[in-house]
Amino acid sequence: MPIFVGLEKGHPVEKKQRPESRAKGAKTAKMANCRAVVREVAGLLPYEKRLLDMLKTGGASAEKRMYKFAKKRLGTHKRALRKREDVKDVYSQMRAKAAM
């Protein structure tokens, strides 16, 4: 007979055994390849182009200005740092391609 109140209330049932799911957001080879193709086809976003321009013009405080601009656009410290590193990587790849 089912109990009507408390933690064990209701009809007694067994929990379903579900298969383990993959970690959402984990980087896979497929997704990395997909993102690389999208970046190659679509290019940089307008604010990323401005970050790249800040890097190209340089100066002593270029990285700090890049960080401040990215933080204003993206909202958090970590995202701004990651975006700054991404744009620096893109710039180094562009220079390496031009050197060849």
Side-chain angles (χ1 to χ4, degrees):
M1 176 142 208
I3 302 169
F4 297 111
V5 291
L7 291 174
E8 301 293 322
K9 70 179 181 185
H11 186 74
V13 293
E14 246 182 67
K15 270 206 164 196
K16 249 186 187 179
Q17 291 298 320
R18 292 201 167 89
E20 296 242 348
S21 62
R22 64 178 185 81
K24 185 177 179 182
K27 286 185 180 173
T28 61
K30 183 179 176 182
M31 278 309 299
N33 189 26
C34 180
R35 287 189 179 128
V37 169
V38 169
R39 172 53 60 100
E40 189 177 328
V41 172
L44 297 172
L45 295 169
Y47 83 93
E48 291 174 333
K49 287 179 185 171
R50 282 184 65 183
L51 285 169
L52 191 61
D53 190 44
M54 286 178 195
L55 184 62
K56 283 180 183 176
T57 55
S61 61
E63 287 205 13
K64 184 175 180 179
R65 282 189 297 120
M66 285 174 68
Y67 164 74
K68 286 179 81 170
F69 181 74
K71 186 167 185 298
K72 188 170 178 105
R73 291 300 163 101
L74 298 171
T76 66
H77 176 74
K78 272 188 176 181
R79 287 178 185 171
L81 291 180
R82 195 176 308 130
K83 183 57 71 177
R84 183 177 69 181
E85 294 306 313
D86 287 347
V87 171
K88 283 167 63 176
D89 290 343
V90 167
Y91 183 56
S92 64
Q93 288 171 2
M94 284 170 54
R95 288 183 61 183
K97 214 177 251 188
M100 286 182 162

